[in-house]
Amino acid sequence: CSFDVTVSDNEAPTTPTLADVTGECTATAVAPTTTDNCAGTITGTTTDALTYSTQGTFVITWNFDDGNGNTTTATQNVIVDDVTPPVTPTLADVTGECAATATAPTTTDACAGTITGTTTDALTYNTQGTFVITWTFADGNGNTTTATQNVIVDDITAPVTPTLADVTGECTATAVAPTTTDACAGTITGTTTDALTYSTQGTYVITWNFDDGNGNDIDVTQNVIISDVTPPVTPTLADVTGECIATAVAPTTTDACAGVITGTTTDALTYSTQGTFVITWNFDDGNGNDIDVTQNVIISDVT
């Protein structure tokens, strides 16, 4: 007798339970395996993509074929989900003396790479003080980081020290408030508690203060010099005449500072001898300037 033995595999491979494949920026699936009663270990195949780099959930359908006409399919989720926010940067202070402008800073993100911060705050400040800008860094995948940055406007430079010319006059002199420049305040006019007008001979010092309004000021001195260098006006003195006797009267002249000046002399004023006599008059303005002027006294008896 003869017997036909037929071996027939009609049992499909075991349907595996496939764990999700996850990643934040990208995820790549590796072909899974299952078991089969005849074929042993079977590696799945698929026509779907294995790598995904877009946020979301993707499904790969794996096919397990035992080579004997039996197949099993199983699905596997590939989940790309960025849950890590951008790196929180340490932002350096932005500084300036008169004004300061911040520039959008950057940070890094594992998925997005370099991210530039955004803000609704002002970027430029021109008032003294410390201001805070809040920057937001968004990775585009729903994760954000915030960081603050100080903008400090602090004027630490004093006004320019001017060279102040002497104020001069012979009889009187009045100083006018001088100016200087400042990097932030522009033109600054000096102030002082000293007198501005002087009418006595000598040298006086005015101390001017220049304040930029931001806590920086300087003191600068200016000389006021009163020096009378002009002598009195030289008068023309008429002869004093008489037949028997004549007496001179002290004449006057004018001076720019002293006004009317009366002449003085050490000579005699009265003469009673026939002849011509000369009196030398001195006119002194009291400020170191004087002149000598002569006057004739003529005694001539013509009667």
Side-chain angles (χ1 to χ4, degrees):
C1 295
S2 63
F3 298 94
D4 292 327
V5 178
T6 302
V7 179
S8 178
D9 181 5
N10 55 17
E11 186 174 336
T14 302
T15 301
T17 299
L18 302 179
D20 293 341
V21 177
T22 60
E24 293 203 32
C25 310
T26 184
T28 299
V30 177
T33 62
T34 190
T35 59
D36 181 74
N37 64 331
C38 293
T41 299
I42 299 173
T43 300
T45 61
T46 185
T47 58
D48 297 325
L50 299 184
T51 299
Y52 297 86
S53 56
T54 304
Q55 298 287 299
T57 299
F58 308 90
V59 178
I60 298 176
T61 300
W62 295 100
N63 183 62
F64 301 90
D65 190 330
D66 64 3
N68 294 325
N70 305 298
T71 61
T72 294
T73 59
T75 59
Q76 184 177 38
N77 292 322
V78 179
I79 303 170
V80 182
D81 184 18
D82 181 6
V83 295
T84 302
V87 174
T88 301
T90 299
L91 302 180
D93 293 343
V94 178
T95 60
E97 292 206 31
C98 310
T101 299
T103 302
T106 61
T107 190
T108 57
D109 181 75
C111 294
T114 299
I115 299 175
T116 301
T118 60
T119 186
T120 57
D121 297 324
L123 298 184
T124 298
Y125 298 85
N126 51 25
T127 304
Q128 298 288 299
T130 299
F131 309 89
V132 179
I133 298 176
T134 300
W135 295 99
T136 299
F137 302 88
D139 64 5
N141 294 329
N143 305 297
T144 62
T145 294
T146 60
T148 58
Q149 184 175 39
N150 293 322
V151 180
I152 302 171
V153 182
D154 184 18
D155 180 6
I156 58 174
T157 302
V160 175
T161 300
T163 300
L164 302 181
D166 293 342
V167 178
T168 60
E170 293 204 31
C171 309
T172 185
T174 298
V176 176
T179 61
T180 189
T181 57
D182 180 77
C184 294
T187 299
I188 299 175
T189 301
T191 61
T192 186
T193 57
D194 297 325
L196 299 184
T197 298
Y198 298 84
S199 56
T200 303
Q201 298 288 299
T203 298
Y204 306 90
V205 178
I206 298 176
T207 299
W208 295 101
N209 179 262
F210 298 90
D211 191 327
D212 65 6
N214 294 329
N216 307 297
D217 70 309
I218 56 173
D219 287 330
V220 182
T221 59
Q222 183 176 39
N223 294 322
V224 180
I225 302 171
I226 310 297
S227 177
D228 182 4
V229 296
T230 302
V233 175
T234 300
T236 300
L237 302 180
D239 294 341
V240 177
T241 60
E243 292 199 31
C244 305
I245 191 172
T247 299
V249 176
T252 61
T253 189
T254 58
D255 180 76
C257 295
V260 176
I261 299 175
T262 300
T264 61
T265 186
T266 58
D267 297 326
L269 298 184
T270 299
Y271 297 86
S272 56
T273 304
Q274 296 289 299
T276 298
F277 307 91
V278 178
I279 298 175
T280 300
W281 296 100
N282 179 261
F283 298 90
D284 191 329
D285 63 7
N287 294 329
N289 306 295
D290 70 312
I291 56 172
D292 288 328
V293 182
T294 60
Q295 184 178 37
N296 293 322
V297 179
I298 303 170
I299 308 299
S300 176
D301 182 1
V302 295
T303 302

